Amino acid sequence: MPHSDIDEIIRLFSKLPSLGPRSARRVVLTLIRAREQLMQPLYNTLGKALENIKTCSICGNLDTHDPCVICSDSRREDAVICVVEDLADLWAIERCNLYKGKYHVLGGTLSALDDRGPSQLNIEPLVVRAMADEVKEIILATNATLEGQTTAHYLTNRLADANVNISRLAQGIPMGGELDYLDDGTLGAALKARLPF
Amino acid sequence: MPHSDIDEIIRLFSKLPSLGPRSARRVVLTLIRAREQLMQPLYNTLGKALENIKTCSICGNLDTHDPCVICSDSRREDAVICVVEDLADLWAIERCNLYKGKYHVLGGTLSALDDRGPSQLNIEPLVVRAMADEVKEIILATNATLEGQTTAHYLTNRLADANVNISRLAQGIPMGGELDYLDDGTLGAALKARLPF
């Protein structure tokens, strides 16, 4: 196709997750057809976001304000900090609408393979935050992967001097999970952590 | 989530085809993480497209030029005009890289249900184009749906006075098609239009 600008938009869209060249083409067609209702608003909000999104200087969250909306929300407890690897994990915890404390976004995990050490993560500011009097608990909500757990262990050492309780997310059978289909690791962990009925 | 600008982008993306709320969130995360490589270029090309895309005054194609790149391409034959319902159909024919004539985009089909008559389609300019001496053939490439075929029949009547051959796309078994899985209509059409081996 010789439409260079349109081709360029299709190429960019096809780089996004869950979009291939074919669905990107469909997306761009939809945009072109709904120029006023969709393309123009998308352009405007993208521009606003590009201009305003910055990293929160307290927790590492990305937001259009600094400190971010969560850090500056006075209704949220200062006593609990939930440490997550990534923005996506923060969003996931926010979606379950249960947690009312603050966050700390590490920006990844320690990884020997990818040559990522503690200095590349947002760890030092966490240690400083943990020293504050009002902080009582730190929840290490890194992923249940090798790197996530390694990072969590490293953090418990770094936070040893702070006067805080350190906790982690419970492991066990997921909602709706059938024993027959669970991996051995999960089932073993659920058995070890069994609770009185 | 309280990030209003980010929420707005997610909402807009989730309106696009093949993206739901969940994948839209993933898309926006990717954009935020790759701000320089992806979000900024997407913003720039969207802006350029919004400013420049217009309807070709000859064929009804959408392009950043008027007349569009296809109409102004001197290497393409003026003798054949391929009539399609929609931009998507033009793109599909261009992708098969076989057709070297010009196009005419109707902008839809006649439809009694949707109350769409000939005056709402780009038909009058087609009749004028068909009268030109250099035009020898008009291919009616509307979809093989009830509305598409109705529109094609209407067009043959309207083009009766023009000195052109009117053709339509062949119907038959699709590439890789298995007889057992084909609908009766397609199989019947393929049988009727059988060719010498």
Side-chain angles (χ1 to χ4, degrees):
Chain A
M1 270 165 293
H3 319 262
S4 61
D5 278 347
I6 299 180
D7 276 349
E8 179 64 11
I9 308 182
I10 296 176
R11 198 185 60 80
L12 289 168
F13 267 105
S14 67
K15 287 185 175 181
L16 296 174
S18 68
L19 289 176
R22 208 185 176 86
S23 42
R25 222 178 297 125
R26 208 139 29 95
V27 161
V28 173
L29 265 176
T30 309
L31 282 178
I32 293 178
R33 283 185 194 137
R35 224 184 301 185
E36 296 305 317
Q37 306 93 304
L38 219 48
M39 198 166 172
Q40 186 73 57
L42 190 64
Y43 175 73
N44 296 345
T45 47
L46 275 178
K48 256 197 284 178
L50 271 169
E51 205 172 304
N52 296 327
I53 287 179
K54 37 191 160 296
T55 306
C56 172
S57 54
I58 299 178
C59 73
N61 184 16
L62 288 171
D63 195 9
T64 44
H65 303 85
D66 180 20
C68 75
V69 192
I70 294 177
C71 281
S72 53
D73 187 343
S74 59
R75 286 163 308 174
R76 300 188 75 120
E77 299 173 44
D78 282 320
V80 195
I81 296 175
C82 180
V83 180
V84 291
E85 292 178 15
D86 196 274
L87 193 57
D89 304 325
L90 187 156
W91 289 11
I93 295 179
E94 279 301 280
R95 278 203 300 284
C96 76
N97 222 338
L98 214 82
Y99 179 67
K100 292 295 167 223
K102 302 287 170 82
Y103 287 95
H104 195 86
V105 182
L106 293 176
T109 54
L110 300 177
S111 166
L113 264 178
D114 297 338
D115 201 21
R116 212 166 32 236
S119 62
Q120 276 132 294
L121 299 181
N122 187 21
I123 289 179
E124 219 47 61
L126 174 64
V127 177
V128 175
R129 284 179 81 188
M131 295 297 176
D133 275 343
E134 69 266 25
V135 178
K136 304 292 178 220
E137 181 180 359
I138 290 187
I139 305 172
L140 299 179
T142 51
N143 289 327
T145 56
L146 184 63
E147 285 92 355
Q149 294 308 304
T150 309
T151 310
H153 275 118
Y154 174 82
L155 288 177
T156 55
N157 287 333
R158 288 299 305 274
L159 294 169
D161 293 341
N163 185 24
V164 291
N165 293 314
I166 298 178
S167 58
R168 62 178 178 83
L169 297 182
Q171 290 194 323
I173 307 174
M175 285 289 164
E178 296 186 46
L179 299 197
D180 196 18
Y181 292 100
L182 278 180
D183 62 296
D184 301 349
T186 303
L187 198 51
L191 202 60
K192 256 194 269 177
R194 66 188 178 279
L195 299 163
F197 201 95
Chain B
M1 273 166 292
H3 319 260
S4 59
D5 278 349
I6 300 180
D7 276 351
E8 180 63 13
I9 307 182
I10 296 176
R11 198 184 62 80
L12 289 168
F13 267 105
S14 68
K15 286 186 176 178
L16 296 174
S18 67
L19 288 177
R22 208 185 177 88
S23 43
R25 225 179 294 125
R26 207 139 28 95
V27 161
V28 173
L29 265 176
T30 310
L31 283 177
I32 292 179
R33 283 185 195 137
R35 224 183 302 185
E36 296 306 316
Q37 307 92 302
L38 216 51
M39 198 165 169
Q40 187 72 58
L42 190 65
Y43 175 72
N44 295 344
T45 46
L46 274 178
K48 255 197 286 180
L50 271 169
E51 204 171 305
N52 296 326
I53 289 180
K54 37 191 160 294
T55 305
C56 171
S57 53
I58 298 177
C59 73
N61 184 14
L62 287 172
D63 194 9
T64 44
H65 302 86
D66 180 21
C68 74
V69 191
I70 295 177
C71 281
S72 52
D73 186 344
S74 59
R75 287 163 308 176
R76 301 189 73 122
E77 298 174 46
D78 282 322
V80 194
I81 296 175
C82 179
V83 180
V84 291
E85 291 178 15
D86 196 274
L87 194 55
D89 304 325
L90 187 156
W91 289 11
I93 295 177
E94 279 301 280
R95 279 204 298 286
C96 77
N97 223 340
L98 212 85
Y99 179 67
K100 293 296 169 221
K102 302 287 172 82
Y103 287 94
H104 195 87
V105 182
L106 292 176
T109 53
L110 299 176
S111 167
L113 264 180
D114 298 337
D115 202 20
R116 213 164 35 236
S119 62
Q120 276 132 295
L121 299 180
N122 187 20
I123 289 178
E124 219 47 60
L126 173 66
V127 177
V128 175
R129 283 178 81 187
M131 294 299 178
D133 275 344
E134 69 266 26
V135 179
K136 304 291 177 219
E137 181 180 0
I138 290 187
I139 306 172
L140 299 179
T142 50
N143 289 327
T145 55
L146 184 64
E147 284 91 356
Q149 294 307 306
T150 310
T151 311
H153 275 118
Y154 175 81
L155 288 176
T156 55
N157 287 334
R158 289 297 307 274
L159 295 168
D161 293 340
N163 186 24
V164 290
N165 293 316
I166 298 178
S167 58
R168 61 178 178 87
L169 298 183
Q171 289 193 324
I173 307 173
M175 286 287 164
E178 296 185 49
L179 298 196
D180 196 17
Y181 293 99
L182 278 180
D183 63 294
D184 301 350
T186 305
L187 198 52
L191 202 61
K192 256 194 267 175
R194 65 188 178 279
L195 299 164
F197 201 95

